[in-house]
Structures are given as structure tokens and as C-alpha cells.
Amino acid sequence: MKPTWDIPDTMLDNGREFDSEFYRRFTLRKAPRPVALADNITKDYLFPTFYGDVTCAMAIFLCSYDKAAALLRERLGRPVRPVRMTRGRSLIAFSCYEYKQVMGVRPYNEIAMAIPVMVNARFNPPVLPMIMGGFKHFGYYIAGMPVTSHENTLRGNKIWGLPKVTQEIDIEREGGCCKATARDENGVDYLTLRIPMSGTPTDFNVSSFLYTRLNGKFLRSETNFRANFLVTKNMKPLLHKGTQPDRTYMELGTTSFAGMLQGLEIEPSPFQFRYAEHMSACFDLPQEKLPTWAAAV
């Protein structure tokens, strides 16, 4: 999908598309102030933002714990640490989205590059936060987020402090895989992912938090989604560092946009794949008041 740089001066009137039980769990409201997007274009969005009929293809890889921790210290602060995995590693998850329905906004594609984190936690056990609930300090930091809509780049930058950039993202089906390709401003590929559209059917009904900084302020924002995913697990890389995959699932280019990813020392063998169609999701405003333990960051 080519980037859309124009910003309509009105919002889509598509609220009727979001009438399922999932969306009725949430109370829509406006932000404290409208969002200024461009000269003479200001919009008063409803939140949480609803997403419908979403295709989500996710690839999770192991990466260097030390490199991920250094990135978090640089961007968020020392009390935010990556979730520990085995053999000195952490994780990075690539979630490729086709947002076919967005409340008030035109459809767009996006790739979220997320590092699972523990925020201001004295206890950071290996692996467990990824497979068990109940870790209140657990969440995600978005390390990169290309998106095909400039309107949504500005929304993400201005409301949440998300590192969104407007770029071309193609998401297509090829050889039983969902292939996602991100390109820089010169049209050069810097990230290609191939995610199998097969696996064990697994229901997900998830609520979690994303952590960001905006104008020096630490923010916590709730995200929710529900879908039946096809899940493929690969435990071998967890036990054996440097495991080689049966094929190439991720390719990194040499442009500047690939630099951050290359610096994380991502291993080539995937830890897990997830694929779903017709996902329902929403993303809320930053919380007005942080929990006491998070406010100390």
C-alpha cells in the first residue's frame, strides 16, 4: 500500500461498523482537546480508537537482552527493562496489520515492532511474563512503527509519542505465507517478513499496555484485541542459541531504517508465529493517572 499523505478535513462517519459485543465493552469519549494535524485541519476523535476486520500477522524473534536494554535506557529510562528469555536474550515482536475499518479514519497498513518489557519491577523472572498472566509490571515498548497513513503518523506522534513514520507497506499472500514489506522514502526495502498462515487455532482475548514518552512524560496506554489466531510455536531457539531456520523468514536491508533492528542482534530462527483475520481491536488514550509503581519511572 502506497502512503497517503493527504489529510481529509472531515472524519469518516463509520461508527455503525463497530456494533459487536467486543466494542460495547468500551465507552467512547473525546480527548481533552482536539488534535491539530495540519494547517486549518483539527480533529476531535473518539477514543478508544476502534479497529475492525483486521488482518494481523505476527512474527516473534529472540534478540540480545543487552542491546534491547540499552535501547530502552536511551528512550525510556533505566527502570524499564526487557523481559528476560534464556541465554542472555529478550524478544522483539513484529505485528503486521491491515486495518480495513478504523473509526473515523481511512484504512491503512502498519507494522508495530514491540519489545516486551517489565516496568519498574524488582522481580523480572525469565520467560514467565510471556506465558503467564498476573504480571502487573508487564507491557510493551514500540521500538518502531511504519504506517501508510500520514494522518495516523501524526496521531501517533502527537497523542502517544509513538515512533510512527509514513512509509510504503505491502502486505500480500505468497506461498502459504503473509508477506509484509516495509520500504523507506526512496522505495528501498528495509524489512521483509514471511509469516505462515497456518498453525494451531487459539483464541486470544487480550488486554495489555504500551509504554511511551511524550514531551518528557512517561505514558501508559491500554490496548485490547480479540481474534482466533493460527499459532506456530518453535521452542528449539529458546534452548539453543543461534538455531538456523528452515527458510528465511526475515530480511533486513541496509538503509538507515534497518539500523535499529540490526543493532538488536535479532536471531534468524523465529520463536513464534501468529496469524488472524477479522480481528477486533481498540487502542485508548494515555491514562490520566499512572499506578503508583509506574509513576515513579
Side-chain angles (χ1 to χ4, degrees), residues 23-279:
Y23 303 108
R24 290 195 291 270
R25 289 160 41 185
F26 307 97
T27 301
L28 289 169
R29 67 199 189 285
K30 293 183 178 181
R33 64 190 63 83
V35 182
L37 299 168
D39 292 342
N40 302 318
I41 299 180
T42 298
K43 293 191 176 181
D44 209 4
Y45 299 102
L46 290 173
F47 295 94
T49 301
F50 288 162
Y51 304 90
D53 194 18
V54 181
T55 295
C56 176
M58 182 184 298
I60 305 173
F61 294 86
L62 291 155
C63 67
S64 164
Y65 177 88
D66 288 341
K67 299 295 185 181
L71 180 68
L72 293 172
R73 283 196 300 270
E74 176 188 343
R75 296 191 181 181
L76 285 181
R78 190 173 298 275
V80 181
R81 296 177 291 170
V83 169
R84 290 188 180 275
M85 301 301 284
T86 58
R87 299 179 179 271
R89 294 170 299 174
S90 185
L91 292 172
I92 182 166
F94 297 88
S95 299
C96 310
Y97 299 107
E98 286 183 306
Y99 290 125
K100 302 182 188 71
Q101 298 169 348
V102 186
M103 178 169 278
V105 180
R106 296 177 299 185
Y108 62 95
N109 291 350
E110 182 177 83
I111 301 177
M113 308 170 190
I115 298 174
V117 298
M118 295 290 283
V119 177
N120 215 16
R122 295 182 180 179
F123 181 51
N124 186 12
V127 183
L128 292 180
M130 297 304 303
I131 60 175
M132 295 176 59
F135 287 88
K136 68 179 183 179
H137 297 261
F138 175 77
Y140 293 90
Y141 171 71
I142 303 298
M145 188 173 264
V147 58
T148 60
S149 162
H150 191 54
E151 177 176 358
N152 281 281
T153 294
L154 296 175
R155 273 170 45 99
N157 298 162
K158 290 173 175 284
I159 299 172
W160 295 279
L162 288 165
K164 291 196 176 191
V165 291
T166 308
Q167 294 178 338
E168 179 179 353
I169 302 172
D170 284 339
I171 298 178
E172 51 197 345
R173 283 72 185 163
E174 180 182 280
C177 288
C178 181
K179 179 183 175 183
T181 304
R183 300 185 176 93
D184 67 11
E185 70 278 6
N186 297 315
V188 178
D189 298 359
Y190 69 89
L191 173 66
T192 301
L193 296 161
R194 293 177 178 84
I195 300 167
M197 298 185 296
S198 59
T200 303
T202 308
D203 285 323
F204 284 78
N205 192 353
V206 174
S207 176
S208 190
F209 294 95
L210 300 187
Y211 292 93
T212 57
R213 278 198 187 276
L214 178 62
N215 300 325
K217 185 177 181 181
F218 189 65
L219 303 179
R220 180 180 193 246
S221 307
E222 184 174 343
T223 180
N224 292 267
F225 66 88
R226 186 175 67 188
N228 183 268
F229 280 84
L230 299 174
V231 178
T232 303
K233 297 180 180 180
N234 181 17
M235 302 304 292
K236 188 175 180 180
L238 196 63
L239 304 174
H240 304 283
K241 195 171 183 178
T243 301
Q244 295 301 308
D246 59 342
R247 58 174 295 184
T248 300
Y249 292 101
M250 180 178 64
E251 297 176 51
L252 294 178
T254 58
T255 72
S256 60
F257 283 103
M260 178 271 294
L261 298 174
Q262 292 167 341
L264 291 173
E265 298 178 3
I266 301 170
E267 297 188 7
S269 190
F271 174 62
Q272 190 175 127
F273 291 120
R274 301 175 187 175
Y275 179 80
E277 297 180 353
H278 313 300
M279 183 174 80

